[in-house]
Amino acid sequence: MRAVLALGANLGDRFDTLQAAVDALANETAIVAVSAIFETAPVGGPAQPDYYNAVVVVDTETTAVELLELAHRIEAAAGRVRVERWGPRTLDVDLLAYADQRSDDPNLTLPHPRAHERAFVLLPWLDADPDARIDGWGSVAEWAGTVEVAGVRRLEAPTLRWSP
């Protein structure tokens, strides 16, 4: 199944943290595409450093629940502790979409309920997959045209490494 995951980090070495997450995903899935890194101001929460954000598109044989569990293990390996909503974090891994599945489960809502509102998700997603669409929601390009993009900057370097 095709799945899309968003990565974000704003504590410690942000690049190394994102690279470790990509490496961990590559060990468990087949990576199809990885976006450039986008540096973004935090949204909500306390004062905190800017984020590095990226999107990874994968093919996987696991279920959506198993992929979410993998995301949580990758976060934990990066030292993520869930203390404060929208607070600073070593790593955040969100499952944005899993094939065309929909879920209203409070533990796994698919597609991600706020992805279409967040430039720091949409711009990297568009970068990784310019033709991305979610059945019933429209295209990622259409969503990206409706959000405020000030404060979101695409970095030319460094770039995340991966092997297809």
Side-chain angles (χ1 to χ4, degrees), residues 78-100:
R80 169 80 186 267
V81 178
R82 294 176 188 275
V83 176
E84 181 176 15
R85 185 172 188 184
W86 296 319
R89 59 204 64 176
T90 55
L91 180 64
D92 188 32
V93 181
D94 287 333
L95 180 55
L96 302 177
Y98 184 89
D100 286 330

Side-chain angles (χ1 to χ4, degrees), residues 96-114:
L96 302 177
Y98 184 89
D100 286 330
Q101 287 190 14
R102 296 193 180 282
S103 171
D104 291 325
D105 184 310
N107 295 316
L108 178 59
T109 305
L110 289 172
H112 191 287
R114 290 173 301 284

Side-chain angles (χ1 to χ4, degrees):
M1 295 291 192
R2 180 72 40 103
V4 182
L5 299 109
L7 311 176
N10 76 336
L11 295 177
D13 187 320
R14 299 172 297 173
F15 174 77
D16 283 350
T17 299
L18 293 186
Q19 185 62 62
V22 169
D23 293 343
L25 286 168
N27 287 333
E28 302 288 332
T29 68
I31 294 181
V32 174
V34 177
S35 74
I37 295 173
F38 288 73
E39 188 169 35
T40 63
V43 176
Q48 56 188 295
D50 287 351
Y51 281 84
Y52 272 9
N53 294 101
V55 163
V56 181
V57 180
V58 303
D59 283 336
T60 183
E61 297 298 320
T62 66
T63 67
V65 169
E66 291 167 336
L67 190 56
L68 181 63
E69 290 168 353
L70 172 62
H72 289 163
R73 288 194 308 274
I74 293 170
E75 289 175 341
R80 169 80 186 267
V81 178
R82 294 176 188 275
V83 176
E84 181 176 15
R85 185 172 188 184
W86 296 319
R89 59 204 64 176
T90 55
L91 180 64
D92 188 32
V93 181
D94 287 333
L95 180 55
L96 302 177
Y98 184 89
D100 286 330
Q101 287 190 14
R102 296 193 180 282
S103 171
D104 291 325
D105 184 310
N107 295 316
L108 178 59
T109 305
L110 289 172
H112 191 287
R114 290 173 301 284
H116 67 287
E117 301 169 351
R118 297 175 169 174
F120 63 87
V121 168
L122 294 172
L123 296 180
W125 193 351
L126 186 60
D127 186 68
D129 184 0
D131 298 322
R133 296 187 65 78
I134 297 295
D135 185 43
W137 281 37
S139 75
V140 171
E142 290 167 342
W143 295 345
T146 67
V147 295
E148 176 59 49
V149 298
V152 180
R153 183 173 63 96
R154 184 183 195 274
L155 303 181
E156 296 306 317
T159 58
L160 297 165
R161 299 171 307 278
W162 60 282
S163 296

